[in-house]
Amino acid sequence: MMNTLVSTEWLAAHLNDVRVLDASWYMPADRRDAKKEFEAEHIPGAVFYDLDALSEQNTQLPHMLPSPERFARDMGALGVGDGDMAVVYDGAGLFSAARVWWMLRVMGHDKVAVLDGGLPKWKREARPLEQGPPRPRQAHFTARPVAGQVRDFAFMQKAVGNTQILDARSLSRFTGEEKEPRPGLRSGHMPGAVNMHYRSLLHADGTVKSDEELRRIFAEKGVDLRAPIVTSCGSGVSASILMLALARLGAPETSLYDGSWSEWGGHPEAEVVTG
């Protein structure tokens, strides 16, 4: 499953053969500066993927997928070319790295995997680190968007009640008991959505659970892996972790609601339920 996960052992052995991306991003409440942490220590040869700066800027919604032209330009500037194998990691173990993995796949680049356990596992194993700003070399990246991978508000209005929708947010946010971290959003979830907190798919150390465990978790939630599935979360970041797990299990028809709750929870025409 080289298009989903690679181990720290594998990356250490192939460090000179791949392009490594540090895609660390944190919620404001975490009070962490991902770029500053990257310059303090990162995997040798890695470049920093700034999720805020490199997402679509002509929108009020966070982390929206940029245009193919913009994505190709940014990837090329980061040194990721058409023939390159890309490995994405983050400083949480597994959180935002899955978003950049998904973005690359949506843009037609299948030679990409997430580092299982991320930077924390790499550091626990006392593997080498570098300091300082990134030093990418220019490459040529061609974006070839894959149809049906990204869903918008209009699609989701029709999907409610007709398609499996998996919500990766915490249970308390899903039920509406916890206030949304972004201002102006109602609390709750889309009608008929199933709550599947992304952390339920991970071990405590940030590594992904076995395929057998993942399959059991989806089954316990009543998810039919053979039928269409749309994932959602707060802003499209943790929903990508569900996409990663679904890819490992070979689910044939999956997509991600890019606006996620940042759009649905603030849209006056969107139905919101609690409990």
Side-chain angles (χ1 to χ4, degrees), residues 6-24 26 34-49 78 85-94 97 113-136:
V6 295
S7 67
T8 50
E9 292 80 6
W10 186 93
L11 181 58
H14 296 85
L15 205 50
N16 295 325
D17 307 320
V18 300
R19 301 290 173 255
V20 184
L21 301 172
D22 183 325
S24 300
Y26 304 103
K35 189 173 184 180
K36 186 176 181 180
E37 290 184 18
F38 171 86
E39 294 192 358
E41 55 179 14
H42 56 262
I43 293 176
V47 295
F48 182 67
Y49 190 96
L78 289 173
M85 170 72 183
V87 176
V88 193
Y89 74 87
D90 63 51
L94 177 53
V114 169
L115 179 62
D116 199 17
L119 186 62
K121 189 171 189 291
W122 185 271
K123 289 171 63 177
R124 284 197 302 272
E125 295 166 351
R127 299 188 185 276
L129 295 167
E130 268 185 353
Q131 294 77 40
R135 297 182 294 274

Side-chain angles (χ1 to χ4, degrees), residues 81 98 107 111 246:
M107 293 296 180
K111 295 178 67 175
L246 290 166

Side-chain angles (χ1 to χ4, degrees), residues 33-272:
D33 186 328
K35 189 173 184 180
K36 186 176 181 180
E37 290 184 18
F38 171 86
E39 294 192 358
E41 55 179 14
H42 56 262
I43 293 176
V47 295
F48 182 67
Y49 190 96
D50 190 329
L51 191 57
D52 285 323
L54 299 183
S55 295
E56 177 58 51
Q57 299 299 302
N58 296 321
T59 176
Q60 297 298 313
L61 298 173
H63 312 136
M64 294 292 283
L65 192 69
S67 69
E69 296 77 16
R70 165 75 189 277
F71 189 81
R73 185 175 69 248
D74 291 340
M75 276 296 161
L78 289 173
V80 180
D82 290 338
D84 291 330
M85 170 72 183
V87 176
V88 193
Y89 74 87
D90 63 51
L94 177 53
F95 183 53
S96 50
R99 172 69 185 188
V100 177
W101 166 87
W102 175 78
M103 293 169 75
L104 279 159
R105 285 170 59 92
V106 166
M107 293 296 180
H109 193 86
D110 289 333
K111 295 178 67 175
V112 55
V114 169
L115 179 62
D116 199 17
L119 186 62
K121 189 171 189 291
W122 185 271
K123 289 171 63 177
R124 284 197 302 272
E125 295 166 351
R127 299 188 185 276
L129 295 167
E130 268 185 353
Q131 294 77 40
R135 297 182 294 274
R137 56 106 175 101
Q138 184 68 40
H140 178 76
F141 184 95
T142 306
R144 301 179 178 88
V146 181
Q149 297 296 297
V150 188
R151 301 306 185 186
D152 59 14
F153 181 78
F155 180 93
M156 296 307 297
Q157 282 186 301
K158 297 176 182 178
V160 166
N162 301 305
T163 303
Q164 298 178 106
I165 301 171
L166 304 184
D167 191 322
R169 295 175 301 154
S170 66
L171 180 60
S172 57
R173 287 176 66 187
F174 180 85
T175 61
E177 297 173 54
E178 180 183 347
K179 187 177 179 180
E180 283 296 305
R182 295 179 177 85
L185 300 182
R186 292 172 289 169
S187 298
H189 59 270
M190 287 179 273
V194 174
N195 179 236
M196 181 170 287
H197 191 201
Y198 75 91
R199 287 183 180 171
S200 69
L201 308 179
L202 308 177
H203 294 295
D205 65 357
T207 55
V208 179
K209 292 181 178 179
S210 70
D211 291 357
E212 292 74 20
E213 290 175 291
L214 294 177
R215 199 173 297 278
R216 175 182 54 77
I217 292 167
F218 281 101
E220 288 175 349
K221 291 287 186 176
V223 178
D224 183 355
L225 295 174
R226 300 163 298 179
I229 298 169
V230 183
T231 67
S232 179
C233 60
S235 64
V237 174
S238 59
S240 301
I241 300 174
L242 303 191
M243 294 293 287
L244 182 73
L246 290 166
R248 286 198 64 79
L249 298 180
E253 195 171 344
T254 61
S255 56
L256 186 148
Y257 174 27
D258 205 22
S260 283
W261 198 254
S262 294
E263 181 174 46
W264 191 272
H267 204 293
E269 297 179 18
E271 183 180 357
V272 173

